[in-house]
Amino acid sequence: MAPSKTSALETEVSELKTLVGNLLNKVNKLTIENTSLREEVRHLKKLKGQPKIRPNKKAPKDGKNNQDGKPASASDNTSPPKSKRPRSQERGQTAKPSPSSVRDEICSAEGVQDSWKRKGYQNFTHVDVNLEFTTKRYRREVWTTTEGQTVIAPLPAHVKGRFGDNLTAMVLDLYHSCSVTQPLLLDWLHSHGCPISEGKLNDLLIHGHEPFHQEREEILETGIACSRALLVDDTGARHDGKNGYCTVIGNETFTVFASTASKSRINFLTLLQGKRRSHVLNSVALDYMKQVEMTGKWVDILSAYGETHFLDASAWEAFLNDHKLFAKEQRRKATEAVLKAGLLNNGFPETMVIHSDGARQFDTAFPHSLCWFHASRPLAKLIPANKQERAARDWMEKQFWYLYDDVEAYCQAPTEAKKNQIEQDFDYWVTTQVDYSDLRHVLVKLHRAREELLLILKHPWLPLVSGRSGSM
């Protein structure tokens, strides 16, 4: 018996309804996904979200004031007007350094009568510059002795060449501090009447700077001897097709910059040694080798030599070659060990704390303190995929900065109770279970850095952030 047209039509309608229902479900899922992606794009581009505008409130019919005694307004979003900030400078002035020297000059009033009373002075500061290149000719006496020898009068002690120290200092300051290019600097000098050639200007910029290098090494040695912690950082740039690195070492009392071709831990330890380069193989070096898990075979071989001092880096390299220690990684660890031992042998404080942004070339050798600001960056760089992950990320980041505030308050007034509470809060925060794999990975890394982040609880005088090194 053939199916009736009515039943066939009902079957077809049922299938269409099922198909439409499936399509509506897909459209709904795509709409949700599209909305989530739009929110993520807006978040990544740091665009403002849709504003939350509260509805207007109706004014009371009787025209009376509301509960706080103020007239009813159209919206409760209004905030009180901001008061003007107090001025710290006089009108027309901005923050500026104090003048190096001030010379007073009295301005007398005209037409002063005997009946007038003096009320003092009204100060007016006038700043000007007198830029003038002076050329001095030294007429040196020339004498001839009875034996026929020529004797010429010596120059003054401060005269070391054709161009004086003040001119050299100004040229270096304009070139390095003000980023004036060499051609523009030459044109500027010529326009102000300075008789200097292009070649001599080049010599002033690149030659004869040995006293600066010597002064830098002396500053570094003295600064280390007077410090409990060092703030370190580095940056890289290319020059002549080669990578170069500038390392900054210092704290609130001194700053030293050094440009090298490497940013390794060996380079950092070498810079700390300054002008007294030393490679020492002793018990300190052997302990470091064990700390960095150097192969036991080589530790046993090197330990047989007791305490050995090497003249320089080439002597140490020759020693390693003689013992067939060619493995790059083992050679690096051994070199780091003898450099650290050489540092301590020269009087470097073993308790010196190195504070950095977490770069691996700055840790391991000495107690290491980690910058809290740099530690928070992995949290800020997370890219959540939905609202739940974003909420988890935002909550964890907020808790991190709560901990930061607690540590900052602890440094102002440290107590044992506050220290224990911060340690407990940190452990609770970093072990929080979240349903977000990338966030869990970041928390695991922060948990590993616990000792470096909380070292400040042991030494409250340490800085929380290493931003100071960026401005030194």
Side-chain angles (χ1 to χ4, degrees):
M1 181 177 179
S4 64
K5 293 183 178 180
T6 303
S7 60
L9 183 60
E10 291 177 353
T11 303
E12 186 176 352
V13 170
S14 177
E15 292 176 354
L16 288 175
K17 287 183 178 179
T18 304
L19 178 60
V20 171
N22 294 335
L23 291 176
L24 289 176
N25 290 334
K26 289 184 178 180
V27 170
N28 188 34
K29 291 181 180 179
L30 291 174
T31 302
I32 296 175
E33 183 180 359
N34 188 31
T35 303
S36 176
L37 292 175
R38 285 178 178 273
E39 292 178 356
E40 190 58 37
V41 170
R42 187 185 298 113
H43 173 72
L44 293 176
K45 290 185 176 181
K46 298 182 179 180
L47 301 177
K48 293 183 178 180
Q50 185 177 1
K52 296 181 181 180
I53 303 176
R54 299 180 182 179
N56 293 335
K57 289 184 177 180
K58 293 183 179 180
K61 294 182 180 179
D62 55 3
K64 295 182 179 180
N65 297 342
N66 47 24
Q67 296 179 358
D68 57 1
K70 297 180 181 179
S73 59
S75 174
D76 60 351
N77 288 335
T78 58
S79 58
K82 296 181 179 179
S83 60
K84 294 184 178 179
R85 292 180 298 176
R87 296 183 62 89
S88 58
Q89 297 90 21
E90 297 180 4
R91 185 175 297 277
Q93 295 182 340
T94 57
K96 60 187 184 303
S98 302
S100 57
S101 61
V102 178
R103 185 180 61 183
D104 291 335
E105 183 174 335
I106 304 298
C107 297
S108 301
E110 298 180 357
V112 177
Q113 301 180 10
D114 295 339
S115 59
W116 293 7
K117 294 182 179 180
R118 183 188 295 274
K119 302 295 291 185
Y121 297 93
Q122 184 184 65
N123 294 329
F124 179 83
T125 304
H126 176 70
V127 181
D128 201 353
V129 61
N130 183 19
L131 182 61
E132 181 183 3
F133 291 94
T134 59
T135 301
K136 184 180 294 186
R137 182 174 60 184
Y138 292 97
R139 297 179 60 82
R140 305 167 63 184
E141 293 183 346
V142 181
W143 298 85
T144 302
T145 64
T146 56
E147 292 80 9
Q149 297 180 352
T150 301
V151 178
I152 303 176
L155 290 169
H158 68 276
V159 178
K160 303 179 180 64
R162 184 181 177 189
F163 297 96
D165 294 339
N166 293 332
L167 175 59
T168 302
M170 186 191 68
V171 166
L172 293 175
D173 188 42
L174 290 174
Y175 183 78
H176 294 286
S177 300
C178 303
S179 301
V180 181
T181 61
Q182 189 169 336
L184 289 177
L185 184 56
L186 182 64
D187 292 340
W188 184 85
L189 291 171
H190 286 172
S191 64
H192 286 76
C194 179
I196 187 172
S197 64
E198 181 179 359
K200 186 58 181 178
L201 176 60
N202 186 70
D203 289 342
L204 292 180
L205 292 174
I206 64 176
H207 294 145
H209 296 167
E210 289 77 13
F212 293 110
H213 296 290
Q214 181 180 358
E215 181 183 17
R216 180 195 66 189
E217 294 173 349
E218 292 174 353
I219 290 175
L220 177 62
E221 183 176 354
T222 305
I224 290 176
C226 303
S227 301
R228 297 178 294 180
L230 298 177
L231 278 67
V232 297
D233 200 359
D234 58 24
T235 184
R238 287 184 65 81
H239 179 67
D240 287 342
K242 298 179 181 179
N243 292 329
Y245 305 93
C246 179
T247 303
V248 55
I249 304 172
N251 50 36
E252 66 277 3
T253 58
F254 80 100
T255 304
V256 169
F257 295 87
S259 298
T260 57
S262 171
K263 58 181 297 183
S264 63
R265 190 176 294 127
I266 292 177
N267 173 73
F268 176 61
L269 293 172
T270 303
L271 291 177
L272 288 179
Q273 289 193 351
K275 59 183 179 182
R276 296 194 296 170
R277 302 294 169 86
S278 178
H279 295 68
V280 178
L281 179 60
N282 56 14
S283 58
V284 174
L286 296 174
D287 291 340
Y288 179 87
M289 295 177 191
K290 296 175 183 177
Q291 177 187 348
V292 296
E293 299 180 353
M294 187 175 174
T295 305
K297 165 190 171 183
W298 291 109
V299 175
D300 295 337
I301 293 176
L302 296 177
S303 62
Y305 287 87
E307 181 167 344
T308 307
H309 295 252
F310 299 89
L311 294 176
D312 50 25
S314 59
W316 166 249
E317 295 291 336
F319 174 81
L320 295 178
N321 294 335
D322 292 341
H323 290 78
K324 309 299 182 184
L325 180 51
F326 299 120
K328 185 176 180 180
E329 187 70 11
Q330 303 300 318
R331 197 180 184 99
R332 176 186 64 82
K333 294 178 180 179
T335 303
E336 293 171 2
V338 296
L339 285 173
K340 177 183 178 180
L343 263 175
L344 298 179
N345 185 71
N346 290 338
F348 189 89
E350 189 173 5
T351 58
M352 179 71 74
V353 179
I354 307 297
H355 183 83
S356 77
D357 57 2
R360 294 299 92 183
Q361 64 267 25
F362 298 130
D363 65 356
T364 303
F366 297 96
H368 183 251
S369 173
L370 184 60
C371 169
W372 277 67
F373 180 78
H374 284 83
S376 71
R377 285 185 175 179
L379 288 172
K381 290 181 179 179
L382 288 175
I383 303 178
N386 50 54
K387 290 183 179 180
Q388 290 75 18
E389 291 184 353
R390 185 178 298 113
R393 190 277 312 272
D394 293 344
W395 186 86
M396 296 300 295
E397 192 172 11
K398 185 183 297 184
Q399 299 304 312
F400 178 89
W401 292 113
Y402 285 158
L403 277 170
Y404 177 92
D405 293 338
D406 292 341
V407 174
E408 191 174 29
Y410 167 83
C411 293
Q412 299 297 327
T415 62
E416 191 66 24
K418 290 182 180 179
K419 175 183 177 182
N420 296 333
Q421 185 62 47
I422 291 174
E423 290 177 345
Q424 292 177 8
D425 292 343
F426 183 89
D427 294 337
Y428 175 79
W429 169 75
V430 84
T431 56
T432 302
Q433 298 299 317
V434 292
D435 190 17
Y436 184 7
S437 59
D438 292 342
L439 180 55
R440 288 199 304 270
H441 183 66
V442 172
L443 293 177
V444 169
K445 285 188 174 181
L446 290 173
H447 197 191
R448 293 174 182 169
R450 179 186 186 276
E451 183 179 352
E452 296 170 306
L453 286 170
L454 299 185
L455 185 61
I456 192 171
L457 300 180
K458 182 179 179 181
H459 307 296
W461 40 264
L462 283 173
L464 267 171
V465 299
S466 59
R468 183 192 301 271
S469 63
S471 59
M472 285 188 298

